[in-house]
Amino acid sequence: SDLDLAIDQLEDLTDSIDYAVIGPHDSRTHEIRTTRFPFNTICHVERDFGDGIWRGCSGTLIGPQKVLCAGHCLYNHRLKKAPVRVRVSPGRADRDTRPYGSIMVLRSYVPRRYVHPRTVSDLRNYDYGLAILPQPFKGLHTFMDVRALSNAQLEEMRHKRLISIAGYPADRPVGTLWRHSERLTRTGPRRLYYTIDTCPGDS
């Protein structure tokens, strides 16, 4: 069915380092100031689905013990299960440098409509998740805001401001933080459209 094909494609894109929205020139910048806000809220989210292999994703601390990330970071449709372990490291600088350490996730949530999609659109519209930590990270006291902007505010942002994506892309050295800023190209009822260079792992 179309839904099964969409699920397979989603998992292929999530697992592939070759798929990326980059070009014609890669304008991503390697961010080395990982202990400065807001980059110290960007987390390397590693998942183990039971085979002992850590797979990377990205998330954002929106509170002392809450990490917002993509739904596909916390549930794998191909395996039909959530990770058995999830490890979060904010402001990670490289393979060996975790300035705030790492904490194992206590529990995580994704929408039911993402786990059990009824349509192909559900895979896109409900692809978000929340990971809960057992305790805060020492030394982190400021977190990313989450708010719903009005249509007028979104239009003003589209014309006057840049938006940024920062994360840990799979096509760069493990644990390195990259960012890129661009303008929104348009907005929709459920999505923001942009030409920011991204790659799996940035989610």
Side-chain angles (χ1 to χ4, degrees), residues 9-18 47 55 76 78 170 200:
Q9 289 173 340
L10 174 66
E11 295 304 334
D12 286 342
L13 299 186
T14 302
D15 294 339
S16 172
I17 64 169
D18 295 324
R47 301 87 35 79
R55 295 166 176 84
N76 185 298
R78 182 168 288 155

Side-chain angles (χ1 to χ4, degrees), residues 175-190:
T176 57
L177 181 61
W178 295 76
R179 61 179 171 80
H180 184 213
S181 298
E182 233 341 316
R183 293 196 184 277
L184 287 174
T185 57
R186 63 189 175 98
T187 63
R190 289 183 175 268

Side-chain angles (χ1 to χ4, degrees), residues 21-198:
V21 183
I22 295 173
H25 304 291
D26 188 347
S27 300
R28 292 174 295 174
T29 300
H30 181 201
E31 182 53 65
I32 60 173
R33 303 166 300 169
T34 64
T35 59
R36 294 176 60 180
F37 183 82
F39 303 110
N40 58 2
T41 69
I42 308 300
C43 301
H44 193 211
V45 179
E46 299 168 279
R47 301 87 35 79
D48 170 14
F49 285 93
D51 55 7
I53 298 173
W54 291 107
R55 295 166 176 84
C57 233
S58 299
T60 305
L61 277 167
I62 59 171
Q65 294 170 246
K66 295 181 176 68
V67 181
L68 181 67
C69 60
H72 64 255
C73 293
L74 301 174
Y75 184 82
N76 185 298
H77 281 284
R78 182 168 288 155
L79 299 176
K80 294 186 175 11
K81 66 178 182 178
V84 297
R85 297 185 296 166
V86 180
R87 180 170 64 192
V88 173
S89 305
R92 188 173 181 181
D94 54 43
R95 183 183 292 274
D96 302 313
T97 308
R98 301 174 195 251
Y100 303 98
S102 62
I103 294 177
M104 302 298 288
V105 166
L106 180 65
R107 59 187 181 274
S108 59
Y109 303 93
V110 294
R112 285 197 178 102
R113 289 281 289 275
Y114 183 75
V115 177
H116 303 291
R118 301 173 194 165
T119 66
V120 173
S121 293
D122 284 351
L123 292 172
R124 296 189 296 266
N125 293 337
Y126 297 95
D127 188 6
Y128 54 87
L130 185 69
I132 307 298
L133 304 172
Q135 72 265 351
F137 286 97
K138 291 180 180 178
L140 282 175
H141 309 290
T142 306
F143 308 98
M144 213 56 105
D145 275 343
V146 177
R147 44 192 153 141
L149 301 182
S150 68
N151 289 341
Q153 288 172 316
L154 284 172
E155 277 301 295
E156 181 180 5
M157 178 181 290
R158 188 169 74 85
H159 291 291
K160 296 182 179 179
R161 300 181 63 181
L162 297 176
I163 61 168
S164 298
I165 286 181
Y168 296 87
D171 66 337
R172 290 292 184 258
V174 172
T176 57
L177 181 61
W178 295 76
R179 61 179 171 80
H180 184 213
S181 298
E182 233 341 316
R183 293 196 184 277
L184 287 174
T185 57
R186 63 189 175 98
T187 63
R190 289 183 175 268
R191 287 189 202 88
L192 307 179
Y193 297 85
Y194 57 83
T195 58
I196 296 172
D197 292 331
T198 57

